Amino acid sequence: MKHEARFVLGILAALLVLVQGFGNDALGQKRKPVRPRGGITQRSIDYSRFSHSTKQHQESCKSCHSAPTPNWQKVRAFPDVADYPDHDSCVRCHRPQFFKGAQPPICSVCHTKVSPRHDARYLFPNPRRPEQFKIEFPHDKHQDVIASWRIKSRLPGSFGSSVVKSAHAVTEDKSYNNCTICHGPATKAVAPPAGGWMDSFVPPVDAFKSAPEKHDACFNCHWKTEQPVRDNCAGCHKLAAVRYATVTTPVRISLKFSHEGGGEKKNHIAECTTCHINITKAASLRGLRPDVPITGCTECHNKEGLRQDLSKELAALDQNRTFACVYCHTSNVGKLDPPASHYLVAERPAIKPRGQER
Amino acid sequence: MTAITLKYSRLALLLTFGLTLLSSFAVFSVGQTQVSPALARGVVRLRVRVKLDDSNKRAVGLARKRFFLIKGSLEENKDLVQSIEQRPLVSRDCYYRGIGASEPFISWLKQNDCESVYCREIETKNVEGPGAIPEFQQAIAAGEKEFGSRELARKWLAVNLRDDLRSGFYQRQQLDLHSLLKQAEERTGRKVISVMTDRNGTAYFTDIEPGVYVISNLIPAEVGERATLWNCEVNVNAGDLASEKPFLISNPANKEKNVKCVAVEKPLPACPPSKASR
């Protein structure tokens, strides 16, 4: 019996070690980088793929890029970096590759056709290539700069107060720069996600806001003295760890919300920070989420005597656990358990998550 | 044979028991980490309402003002509060007069209560005709020469304005702010977070570790003809939600109920003689 007990204890101890190891892994799952055996190996270089992360390509940006490029007046309405660097930028290091064979692969980085008789180039920047840089944009600084300074008393000859009474209606008679100088209503439809729109719900074009796509949104201030200026590319463009594709379909939890909606009175047109409560503290775009608390919606959509959109759906869910909330959400989101905040705002007791009703 | 079977049955039983114990331990240890950390954090819904003077019947939300959340009580931040209060204030008007800005330029800023040229669009009427502002006219002439387009020169007018006119006031404030933030962060060992009020004077500090904090605007806001400074102590509890009652702060003229903290106000300092008038 003693032997049995020792044997069992031994097995249990070994399993305990294993379980602990598993537990730690589960808490902080990190895949260790795979290192090639035997150190760095010489491999053939694909010269048709230009990378800014190559050490030799990390000199100051203006050593290759001109700002503006000589072609800006032909292709843009504003001075811009609108073309690839000159041949000299490549040849000064890549002479052997530049003159290798009839169709050197290195030429295809910029040129649509590799031939000495064709000088046509891809669009710059090339929208078909994955991005190599992330944008550094401090929302907080920009909001500070455009913010109004003070409110004035309504003395004779003064211009009144810079504040309004209602949460949503824009009744200001003064025009301030605010988020809309960069984020106006979208004017082109967003691409559908892979597999199509959920529930075949196609959001209207103006459901989303636009974001700056060109340099004019920056250069109008950051041209020559206000840093980062036009040739200080690294002030805004930070090399990404890996190349990535530009997001063409915005991810939104409440897909049915429209920024230009809110009925006849267009009540959704509000100051951005009224709902996007975290944006003014954002010093970077990294980790930025346009998180809107449910209270931003329920101020109108769950108000006694006005509307009970949230409470109605929570009540329906109480009656039928397969009910999907579709007033704001598409069914992929609506069939999930509502978060605690929804019950709290609706002043209803939270029901047990699906599958744990008993 | 029976003895051997019995021995193995006992072994199997013991192992099964042990494994059950272990698996429940494993589930517990992994499951523990899934307790939402959000529940252990809090939110401050800040509301700033001010009454300008007795001629105004109602208090109004203080829009577009930045507030900072500093770890610790007022007592713990005594030295910082002292630094904030003792810092000399240069009003907007005094700054622009001091650098020799023209009266039309100062008046253009005042029209929309702006602190800098980035606050509102510079319209054609501001650069052409009788209402033209001299600084804007100079900048547009330089821009037209540079870009070959008067319209582009107007849209990009700020790039050809003198540095001190364009962003000098902002930069000056930033210097003061950075110095105070550094002092706050050195004392607390924590990063100071900040938010800006919306048009109703509301702002949210989210994802806050529970504890005592000071909410301050660090640099006095110009409210009417007064410099208004808040240093308010707030207690953040775990699980506080943005839907709860706001933390209302105000100025002495506002006698609303539920005001949790009142600002200290001082008259705006008088401006020294401007460059232009010397």
Side-chain angles (χ1 to χ4, degrees), chain B residues 186-230:
Chain B
E186 275 174 3
R187 193 205 69 73
T188 60
R190 308 283 177 90
K191 185 136 183 67
V192 173
I193 60 167
S194 74
V195 288
M196 187 184 278
T197 53
D198 67 8
R199 67 171 70 230
N200 300 307
T202 302
Y204 295 84
F205 290 103
T206 58
D207 196 23
I208 308 299
E209 185 189 338
V212 181
Y213 291 84
V214 170
I215 292 178
S216 174
N217 54 336
L218 297 182
I219 293 184
E222 290 184 34
V223 177
E225 297 305 314
R226 293 179 163 269
T228 309
L229 180 68
W230 282 274

mmCIF file of all heavy atoms in Angstrom, chain B residues 186-230:
data_model
loop_
_atom_site.group_PDB
_atom_site.id
_atom_site.type_symbol
_atom_site.label_atom_id
_atom_site.label_comp_id
_atom_site.label_asym_id
_atom_site.label_seq_id
_atom_site.Cartn_x
_atom_site.Cartn_y
_atom_site.Cartn_z
ATOM 1 N N GLU B 186 6.780 62.640 -11.442
ATOM 2 C CA GLU B 186 7.922 62.280 -10.595
ATOM 3 C C GLU B 186 7.465 61.977 -9.172
ATOM 4 O O GLU B 186 7.941 61.068 -8.530
ATOM 5 C CB GLU B 186 8.961 63.400 -10.600
ATOM 6 C CG GLU B 186 9.901 63.280 -11.803
ATOM 7 C CD GLU B 186 10.859 64.454 -11.925
ATOM 8 O OE1 GLU B 186 10.859 65.355 -11.059
ATOM 9 O OE2 GLU B 186 11.586 64.478 -12.925
ATOM 10 N N ARG B 187 6.495 62.760 -8.706
ATOM 11 C CA ARG B 187 6.028 62.542 -7.339
ATOM 12 C C ARG B 187 5.225 61.243 -7.222
ATOM 13 O O ARG B 187 5.421 60.450 -6.310
ATOM 14 C CB ARG B 187 5.168 63.723 -6.867
ATOM 15 C CG ARG B 187 4.925 63.700 -5.367
ATOM 16 C CD ARG B 187 3.662 64.421 -4.939
ATOM 17 N NE ARG B 187 2.443 63.760 -5.351
ATOM 18 C CZ ARG B 187 1.960 62.645 -4.810
ATOM 19 N NH1 ARG B 187 2.608 62.021 -3.845
ATOM 20 N NH2 ARG B 187 0.821 62.119 -5.239
ATOM 21 N N THR B 188 4.330 61.035 -8.178
ATOM 22 C CA THR B 188 3.420 59.896 -8.057
ATOM 23 C C THR B 188 3.995 58.616 -8.663
ATOM 24 O O THR B 188 3.536 57.527 -8.332
ATOM 25 C CB THR B 188 2.089 60.198 -8.787
ATOM 26 O OG1 THR B 188 2.376 60.438 -10.175
ATOM 27 C CG2 THR B 188 1.395 61.407 -8.209
ATOM 28 N N GLY B 189 4.955 58.759 -9.564
ATOM 29 C CA GLY B 189 5.472 57.587 -10.263
ATOM 30 C C GLY B 189 4.464 57.023 -11.246
ATOM 31 O O GLY B 189 4.592 55.898 -11.718
ATOM 32 N N ARG B 190 3.423 57.771 -11.539
ATOM 33 C CA ARG B 190 2.375 57.331 -12.474
ATOM 34 C C ARG B 190 2.214 58.339 -13.585
ATOM 35 O O ARG B 190 2.440 59.527 -13.380
ATOM 36 C CB ARG B 190 0.999 57.234 -11.768
ATOM 37 C CG ARG B 190 0.975 56.428 -10.530
ATOM 38 C CD ARG B 190 0.972 54.950 -10.880
ATOM 39 N NE ARG B 190 1.016 54.145 -9.675
ATOM 40 C CZ ARG B 190 -0.049 53.728 -9.012
ATOM 41 N NH1 ARG B 190 -1.237 54.044 -9.444
ATOM 42 N NH2 ARG B 190 0.091 53.005 -7.930
ATOM 43 N N LYS B 191 1.774 57.832 -14.710
ATOM 44 C CA LYS B 191 1.510 58.724 -15.838
ATOM 45 C C LYS B 191 0.220 59.495 -15.561
ATOM 46 O O LYS B 191 -0.757 58.927 -15.091
ATOM 47 C CB LYS B 191 1.366 57.892 -17.115
ATOM 48 C CG LYS B 191 1.202 58.704 -18.357
ATOM 49 C CD LYS B 191 2.061 58.181 -19.491
ATOM 50 C CE LYS B 191 1.953 59.055 -20.728
ATOM 51 N NZ LYS B 191 2.531 60.371 -20.541
ATOM 52 N N VAL B 192 0.263 60.784 -15.818
ATOM 53 C CA VAL B 192 -0.936 61.609 -15.645
ATOM 54 C C VAL B 192 -1.760 61.486 -16.923
ATOM 55 O O VAL B 192 -1.231 61.664 -18.018
ATOM 56 C CB VAL B 192 -0.552 63.095 -15.407
ATOM 57 C CG1 VAL B 192 -1.783 63.986 -15.391
ATOM 58 C CG2 VAL B 192 0.229 63.229 -14.104
ATOM 59 N N ILE B 193 -3.036 61.152 -16.778
ATOM 60 C CA ILE B 193 -3.855 61.095 -17.995
ATOM 61 C C ILE B 193 -4.719 62.350 -18.078
ATOM 62 O O ILE B 193 -4.980 63.006 -17.070
ATOM 63 C CB ILE B 193 -4.717 59.821 -18.083
ATOM 64 C CG1 ILE B 193 -5.669 59.709 -16.912
ATOM 65 C CG2 ILE B 193 -3.863 58.588 -18.244
ATOM 66 C CD1 ILE B 193 -6.736 58.655 -17.144
ATOM 67 N N SER B 194 -5.127 62.668 -19.281
ATOM 68 C CA SER B 194 -5.916 63.882 -19.445
ATOM 69 C C SER B 194 -7.012 63.673 -20.473
ATOM 70 O O SER B 194 -6.888 62.829 -21.358
ATOM 71 C CB SER B 194 -5.016 65.028 -19.888
ATOM 72 O OG SER B 194 -4.660 64.863 -21.241
ATOM 73 N N VAL B 195 -8.061 64.431 -20.318
ATOM 74 C CA VAL B 195 -9.162 64.406 -21.289
ATOM 75 C C VAL B 195 -9.640 65.829 -21.522
ATOM 76 O O VAL B 195 -9.360 66.721 -20.718
ATOM 77 C CB VAL B 195 -10.356 63.549 -20.789
ATOM 78 C CG1 VAL B 195 -10.030 62.079 -20.821
ATOM 79 C CG2 VAL B 195 -10.816 63.973 -19.415
ATOM 80 N N MET B 196 -10.359 66.012 -22.617
ATOM 81 C CA MET B 196 -10.880 67.343 -22.908
ATOM 82 C C MET B 196 -12.408 67.318 -22.829
ATOM 83 O O MET B 196 -13.030 66.332 -23.250
ATOM 84 C CB MET B 196 -10.450 67.766 -24.311
ATOM 85 C CG MET B 196 -10.806 69.192 -24.637
ATOM 86 S SD MET B 196 -10.389 69.593 -26.324
ATOM 87 C CE MET B 196 -8.669 69.956 -26.140
ATOM 88 N N THR B 197 -12.990 68.374 -22.316
ATOM 89 C CA THR B 197 -14.453 68.420 -22.199
ATOM 90 C C THR B 197 -15.086 68.592 -23.573
ATOM 91 O O THR B 197 -14.516 69.232 -24.455
ATOM 92 C CB THR B 197 -14.899 69.589 -21.301
ATOM 93 O OG1 THR B 197 -14.307 70.789 -21.798
ATOM 94 C CG2 THR B 197 -14.489 69.381 -19.866
ATOM 95 N N ASP B 198 -16.271 68.031 -23.725
ATOM 96 C CA ASP B 198 -17.004 68.218 -24.979
ATOM 97 C C ASP B 198 -17.793 69.527 -24.901
ATOM 98 O O ASP B 198 -17.635 70.289 -23.952
ATOM 99 C CB ASP B 198 -17.897 67.000 -25.275
ATOM 100 C CG ASP B 198 -19.041 66.852 -24.281
ATOM 101 O OD1 ASP B 198 -19.237 67.757 -23.450
ATOM 102 O OD2 ASP B 198 -19.736 65.829 -24.344
ATOM 103 N N ARG B 199 -18.680 69.725 -25.860
ATOM 104 C CA ARG B 199 -19.361 71.022 -25.905
ATOM 105 C C ARG B 199 -20.268 71.256 -24.693
ATOM 106 O O ARG B 199 -20.651 72.373 -24.398
ATOM 107 C CB ARG B 199 -20.137 71.176 -27.208
ATOM 108 C CG ARG B 199 -21.305 70.224 -27.345
ATOM 109 C CD ARG B 199 -22.154 70.573 -28.551
ATOM 110 N NE ARG B 199 -21.457 70.276 -29.794
ATOM 111 C CZ ARG B 199 -21.344 71.128 -30.789
ATOM 112 N NH1 ARG B 199 -21.839 72.325 -30.699
ATOM 113 N NH2 ARG B 199 -20.746 70.776 -31.892
ATOM 114 N N ASN B 200 -20.629 70.179 -23.997
ATOM 115 C CA ASN B 200 -21.464 70.340 -22.806
ATOM 116 C C ASN B 200 -20.644 70.429 -21.531
ATOM 117 O O ASN B 200 -21.203 70.459 -20.442
ATOM 118 C CB ASN B 200 -22.420 69.154 -22.689
ATOM 119 C CG ASN B 200 -23.307 69.069 -23.887
ATOM 120 O OD1 ASN B 200 -23.966 70.038 -24.243
ATOM 121 N ND2 ASN B 200 -23.303 67.931 -24.543
ATOM 122 N N GLY B 201 -19.345 70.383 -21.690
ATOM 123 C CA GLY B 201 -18.490 70.452 -20.505
ATOM 124 C C GLY B 201 -18.326 69.102 -19.830
ATOM 125 O O GLY B 201 -17.988 69.026 -18.654
ATOM 126 N N THR B 202 -18.563 68.017 -20.567
ATOM 127 C CA THR B 202 -18.435 66.670 -20.000
ATOM 128 C C THR B 202 -17.191 65.983 -20.545
ATOM 129 O O THR B 202 -16.855 66.140 -21.717
ATOM 130 C CB THR B 202 -19.677 65.820 -20.364
ATOM 131 O OG1 THR B 202 -20.831 66.470 -19.863
ATOM 132 C CG2 THR B 202 -19.604 64.422 -19.758
ATOM 133 N N ALA B 203 -16.526 65.241 -19.683
ATOM 134 C CA ALA B 203 -15.370 64.444 -20.122
ATOM 135 C C ALA B 203 -15.291 63.207 -19.244
ATOM 136 O O ALA B 203 -15.769 63.216 -18.105
ATOM 137 C CB ALA B 203 -14.091 65.264 -20.003
ATOM 138 N N TYR B 204 -14.732 62.157 -19.770
ATOM 139 C CA TYR B 204 -14.652 60.887 -19.031
ATOM 140 C C TYR B 204 -13.199 60.458 -18.843
ATOM 141 O O TYR B 204 -12.444 60.397 -19.802
ATOM 142 C CB TYR B 204 -15.356 59.773 -19.798
ATOM 143 C CG TYR B 204 -16.844 59.952 -19.957
ATOM 144 C CD1 TYR B 204 -17.356 60.732 -20.993
ATOM 145 C CD2 TYR B 204 -17.725 59.328 -19.091
ATOM 146 C CE1 TYR B 204 -18.729 60.883 -21.152
ATOM 147 C CE2 TYR B 204 -19.091 59.482 -19.242
ATOM 148 C CZ TYR B 204 -19.591 60.257 -20.277
ATOM 149 O OH TYR B 204 -20.938 60.410 -20.432
ATOM 150 N N PHE B 205 -12.863 60.160 -17.609
ATOM 151 C CA PHE B 205 -11.603 59.452 -17.352
ATOM 152 C C PHE B 205 -11.994 57.984 -17.213
ATOM 153 O O PHE B 205 -12.750 57.639 -16.295
ATOM 154 C CB PHE B 205 -10.957 59.927 -16.046
ATOM 155 C CG PHE B 205 -10.420 61.327 -16.100
ATOM 156 C CD1 PHE B 205 -11.106 62.378 -15.511
ATOM 157 C CD2 PHE B 205 -9.208 61.601 -16.731
ATOM 158 C CE1 PHE B 205 -10.600 63.677 -15.541
ATOM 159 C CE2 PHE B 205 -8.696 62.891 -16.762
ATOM 160 C CZ PHE B 205 -9.394 63.925 -16.173
ATOM 161 N N THR B 206 -11.536 57.149 -18.091
ATOM 162 C CA THR B 206 -11.950 55.744 -18.048
ATOM 163 C C THR B 206 -10.778 54.845 -17.662
ATOM 164 O O THR B 206 -9.624 55.252 -17.753
ATOM 165 C CB THR B 206 -12.479 55.294 -19.420
ATOM 166 O OG1 THR B 206 -11.455 55.482 -20.392
ATOM 167 C CG2 THR B 206 -13.721 56.055 -19.830
ATOM 168 N N ASP B 207 -11.123 53.621 -17.274
ATOM 169 C CA ASP B 207 -10.129 52.599 -16.974
ATOM 170 C C ASP B 207 -9.151 53.069 -15.895
ATOM 171 O O ASP B 207 -7.944 53.003 -16.066
ATOM 172 C CB ASP B 207 -9.384 52.232 -18.273
ATOM 173 C CG ASP B 207 -8.618 50.927 -18.138
ATOM 174 O OD1 ASP B 207 -8.981 50.125 -17.269
ATOM 175 O OD2 ASP B 207 -7.642 50.730 -18.886
ATOM 176 N N ILE B 208 -9.700 53.573 -14.799
ATOM 177 C CA ILE B 208 -8.884 54.162 -13.726
ATOM 178 C C ILE B 208 -8.717 53.171 -12.577
ATOM 179 O O ILE B 208 -9.680 52.551 -12.137
ATOM 180 C CB ILE B 208 -9.561 55.443 -13.168
ATOM 181 C CG1 ILE B 208 -9.916 56.417 -14.300
ATOM 182 C CG2 ILE B 208 -8.680 56.127 -12.134
ATOM 183 C CD1 ILE B 208 -8.773 56.904 -15.090
ATOM 184 N N GLU B 209 -7.509 53.103 -12.085
ATOM 185 C CA GLU B 209 -7.242 52.284 -10.908
ATOM 186 C C GLU B 209 -7.932 52.956 -9.705
ATOM 187 O O GLU B 209 -7.805 54.184 -9.530
ATOM 188 C CB GLU B 209 -5.724 52.240 -10.679
ATOM 189 C CG GLU B 209 -5.286 51.331 -9.573
ATOM 190 C CD GLU B 209 -3.808 51.510 -9.260
ATOM 191 O OE1 GLU B 209 -3.060 51.993 -10.133
ATOM 192 O OE2 GLU B 209 -3.417 51.187 -8.149
ATOM 193 N N PRO B 210 -8.651 52.193 -8.903
ATOM 194 C CA PRO B 210 -9.343 52.824 -7.763
ATOM 195 C C PRO B 210 -8.356 53.558 -6.843
ATOM 196 O O PRO B 210 -7.207 53.152 -6.711
ATOM 197 C CB PRO B 210 -9.988 51.635 -7.043
ATOM 198 C CG PRO B 210 -10.095 50.572 -8.062
ATOM 199 C CD PRO B 210 -8.936 50.756 -8.980
ATOM 200 N N GLY B 211 -8.835 54.614 -6.221
ATOM 201 C CA GLY B 211 -7.983 55.372 -5.305
ATOM 202 C C GLY B 211 -8.365 56.839 -5.292
ATOM 203 O O GLY B 211 -9.368 57.251 -5.880
ATOM 204 N N VAL B 212 -7.538 57.620 -4.620
ATOM 205 C CA VAL B 212 -7.804 59.063 -4.515
ATOM 206 C C VAL B 212 -6.975 59.787 -5.573
ATOM 207 O O VAL B 212 -5.802 59.457 -5.790
ATOM 208 C CB VAL B 212 -7.445 59.582 -3.105
ATOM 209 C CG1 VAL B 212 -7.734 61.068 -2.975
ATOM 210 C CG2 VAL B 212 -8.206 58.808 -2.055
ATOM 211 N N TYR B 213 -7.592 60.758 -6.220
ATOM 212 C CA TYR B 213 -6.919 61.523 -7.284
ATOM 213 C C TYR B 213 -7.221 63.011 -7.125
ATOM 214 O O TYR B 213 -8.187 63.392 -6.454
ATOM 215 C CB TYR B 213 -7.426 61.090 -8.660
ATOM 216 C CG TYR B 213 -7.024 59.694 -9.062
ATOM 217 C CD1 TYR B 213 -7.761 58.590 -8.652
ATOM 218 C CD2 TYR B 213 -5.913 59.468 -9.869
ATOM 219 C CE1 TYR B 213 -7.398 57.305 -9.019
ATOM 220 C CE2 TYR B 213 -5.540 58.188 -10.245
ATOM 221 C CZ TYR B 213 -6.289 57.110 -9.813
ATOM 222 O OH TYR B 213 -5.926 55.851 -10.186
ATOM 223 N N VAL B 214 -6.404 63.808 -7.827
ATOM 224 C CA VAL B 214 -6.687 65.239 -7.951
ATOM 225 C C VAL B 214 -7.002 65.512 -9.418
ATOM 226 O O VAL B 214 -6.258 65.090 -10.306
ATOM 227 C CB VAL B 214 -5.483 66.101 -7.496
ATOM 228 C CG1 VAL B 214 -5.697 67.570 -7.851
ATOM 229 C CG2 VAL B 214 -5.257 65.943 -6.002
ATOM 230 N N ILE B 215 -8.120 66.165 -9.645
ATOM 231 C CA ILE B 215 -8.449 66.609 -11.007
ATOM 232 C C ILE B 215 -8.068 68.082 -11.080
ATOM 233 O O ILE B 215 -8.522 68.887 -10.263
ATOM 234 C CB ILE B 215 -9.951 66.431 -11.316
ATOM 235 C CG1 ILE B 215 -10.311 64.940 -11.383
ATOM 236 C CG2 ILE B 215 -10.313 67.118 -12.641
ATOM 237 C CD1 ILE B 215 -11.782 64.676 -11.636
ATOM 238 N N SER B 216 -7.243 68.407 -12.043
ATOM 239 C CA SER B 216 -6.783 69.795 -12.166
ATOM 240 C C SER B 216 -6.754 70.207 -13.632
ATOM 241 O O SER B 216 -6.560 69.362 -14.506
ATOM 242 C CB SER B 216 -5.378 69.922 -11.574
ATOM 243 O OG SER B 216 -4.859 71.212 -11.791
ATOM 244 N N ASN B 217 -6.933 71.507 -13.882
ATOM 245 C CA ASN B 217 -6.725 71.972 -15.258
ATOM 246 C C ASN B 217 -5.305 72.537 -15.411
ATOM 247 O O ASN B 217 -4.937 72.999 -16.472
ATOM 248 C CB ASN B 217 -7.789 72.985 -15.704
ATOM 249 C CG ASN B 217 -7.946 74.178 -14.796
ATOM 250 O OD1 ASN B 217 -7.617 74.105 -13.610
ATOM 251 N ND2 ASN B 217 -8.455 75.273 -15.322
ATOM 252 N N LEU B 218 -4.503 72.474 -14.380
ATOM 253 C CA LEU B 218 -3.083 72.858 -14.337
ATOM 254 C C LEU B 218 -2.824 74.304 -14.751
ATOM 255 O O LEU B 218 -2.093 75.020 -14.094
ATOM 256 C CB LEU B 218 -2.217 71.916 -15.179
ATOM 257 C CG LEU B 218 -2.165 70.453 -14.733
ATOM 258 C CD1 LEU B 218 -1.209 69.668 -15.649
ATOM 259 C CD2 LEU B 218 -1.722 70.275 -13.299
ATOM 260 N N ILE B 219 -3.375 74.704 -15.899
ATOM 261 C CA ILE B 219 -3.211 76.096 -16.338
ATOM 262 C C ILE B 219 -4.590 76.755 -16.279
ATOM 263 O O ILE B 219 -5.545 76.231 -16.867
ATOM 264 C CB ILE B 219 -2.639 76.154 -17.764
ATOM 265 C CG1 ILE B 219 -1.218 75.614 -17.708
ATOM 266 C CG2 ILE B 219 -2.691 77.561 -18.334
ATOM 267 C CD1 ILE B 219 -0.477 75.670 -18.987
ATOM 268 N N PRO B 220 -4.703 77.868 -15.576
ATOM 269 C CA PRO B 220 -6.032 78.473 -15.408
ATOM 270 C C PRO B 220 -6.722 78.744 -16.745
ATOM 271 O O PRO B 220 -6.086 79.149 -17.715
ATOM 272 C CB PRO B 220 -5.728 79.792 -14.680
ATOM 273 C CG PRO B 220 -4.428 79.556 -13.996
ATOM 274 C CD PRO B 220 -3.653 78.635 -14.894
ATOM 275 N N ALA B 221 -8.035 78.475 -16.756
ATOM 276 C CA ALA B 221 -8.833 78.765 -17.951
ATOM 277 C C ALA B 221 -9.340 80.197 -17.846
ATOM 278 O O ALA B 221 -9.628 80.668 -16.746
ATOM 279 C CB ALA B 221 -10.005 77.803 -18.013
ATOM 280 N N GLU B 222 -9.431 80.851 -18.978
ATOM 281 C CA GLU B 222 -9.981 82.209 -18.967
ATOM 282 C C GLU B 222 -11.492 82.097 -19.096
ATOM 283 O O GLU B 222 -12.018 81.745 -20.157
ATOM 284 C CB GLU B 222 -9.405 83.033 -20.123
ATOM 285 C CG GLU B 222 -7.936 83.365 -19.924
ATOM 286 C CD GLU B 222 -7.382 84.267 -21.016
ATOM 287 O OE1 GLU B 222 -8.109 85.127 -21.539
ATOM 288 O OE2 GLU B 222 -6.199 84.092 -21.367
ATOM 289 N N VAL B 223 -12.181 82.338 -18.017
ATOM 290 C CA VAL B 223 -13.650 82.299 -18.013
ATOM 291 C C VAL B 223 -14.123 83.725 -17.768
ATOM 292 O O VAL B 223 -13.915 84.278 -16.693
ATOM 293 C CB VAL B 223 -14.166 81.341 -16.919
ATOM 294 C CG1 VAL B 223 -15.697 81.363 -16.867
ATOM 295 C CG2 VAL B 223 -13.673 79.920 -17.165
ATOM 296 N N GLY B 224 -14.728 84.312 -18.793
ATOM 297 C CA GLY B 224 -15.073 85.725 -18.702
ATOM 298 C C GLY B 224 -13.788 86.527 -18.563
ATOM 299 O O GLY B 224 -12.836 86.333 -19.321
ATOM 300 N N GLU B 225 -13.744 87.344 -17.542
ATOM 301 C CA GLU B 225 -12.557 88.173 -17.330
ATOM 302 C C GLU B 225 -11.714 87.628 -16.171
ATOM 303 O O GLU B 225 -10.951 88.348 -15.542
ATOM 304 C CB GLU B 225 -12.970 89.626 -17.048
ATOM 305 C CG GLU B 225 -13.714 90.304 -18.200
ATOM 306 C CD GLU B 225 -12.940 90.266 -19.517
ATOM 307 O OE1 GLU B 225 -11.729 90.557 -19.517
ATOM 308 O OE2 GLU B 225 -13.552 89.916 -20.550
ATOM 309 N N ARG B 226 -11.896 86.339 -15.898
ATOM 310 C CA ARG B 226 -11.202 85.748 -14.756
ATOM 311 C C ARG B 226 -10.404 84.509 -15.132
ATOM 312 O O ARG B 226 -10.776 83.796 -16.060
ATOM 313 C CB ARG B 226 -12.227 85.368 -13.674
ATOM 314 C CG ARG B 226 -12.873 86.593 -13.075
ATOM 315 C CD ARG B 226 -13.901 86.261 -12.035
ATOM 316 N NE ARG B 226 -14.161 87.453 -11.237
ATOM 317 C CZ ARG B 226 -13.509 87.768 -10.124
ATOM 318 N NH1 ARG B 226 -12.587 86.984 -9.642
ATOM 319 N NH2 ARG B 226 -13.790 88.880 -9.471
ATOM 320 N N ALA B 227 -9.335 84.311 -14.374
ATOM 321 C CA ALA B 227 -8.531 83.095 -14.540
ATOM 322 C C ALA B 227 -9.053 82.071 -13.540
ATOM 323 O O ALA B 227 -9.088 82.338 -12.342
ATOM 324 C CB ALA B 227 -7.073 83.401 -14.263
ATOM 325 N N THR B 228 -9.491 80.928 -14.061
ATOM 326 C CA THR B 228 -10.188 79.952 -13.214
ATOM 327 C C THR B 228 -9.380 78.671 -13.109
ATOM 328 O O THR B 228 -9.060 78.045 -14.121
ATOM 329 C CB THR B 228 -11.582 79.661 -13.823
ATOM 330 O OG1 THR B 228 -12.221 80.918 -14.053
ATOM 331 C CG2 THR B 228 -12.433 78.807 -12.925
ATOM 332 N N LEU B 229 -9.090 78.292 -11.873
ATOM 333 C CA LEU B 229 -8.224 77.131 -11.648
ATOM 334 C C LEU B 229 -8.907 76.114 -10.737
ATOM 335 O O LEU B 229 -9.397 76.458 -9.669
ATOM 336 C CB LEU B 229 -6.908 77.602 -11.009
ATOM 337 C CG LEU B 229 -5.870 76.529 -10.705
ATOM 338 C CD1 LEU B 229 -5.301 75.935 -11.984
ATOM 339 C CD2 LEU B 229 -4.742 77.107 -9.864
ATOM 340 N N TRP B 230 -8.926 74.858 -11.215
ATOM 341 C CA TRP B 230 -9.502 73.770 -10.399
ATOM 342 C C TRP B 230 -8.406 72.839 -9.904
ATOM 343 O O TRP B 230 -7.547 72.410 -10.702
ATOM 344 C CB TRP B 230 -10.481 72.942 -11.225
ATOM 345 C CG TRP B 230 -11.813 73.563 -11.421
ATOM 346 C CD1 TRP B 230 -12.885 73.491 -10.589
ATOM 347 C CD2 TRP B 230 -12.241 74.335 -12.548
ATOM 348 N NE1 TRP B 230 -13.957 74.176 -11.116
ATOM 349 C CE2 TRP B 230 -13.585 74.704 -12.324
ATOM 350 C CE3 TRP B 230 -11.624 74.772 -13.722
ATOM 351 C CZ2 TRP B 230 -14.326 75.462 -13.222
ATOM 352 C CZ3 TRP B 230 -12.349 75.527 -14.618
ATOM 353 C CH2 TRP B 230 -13.677 75.873 -14.368
#
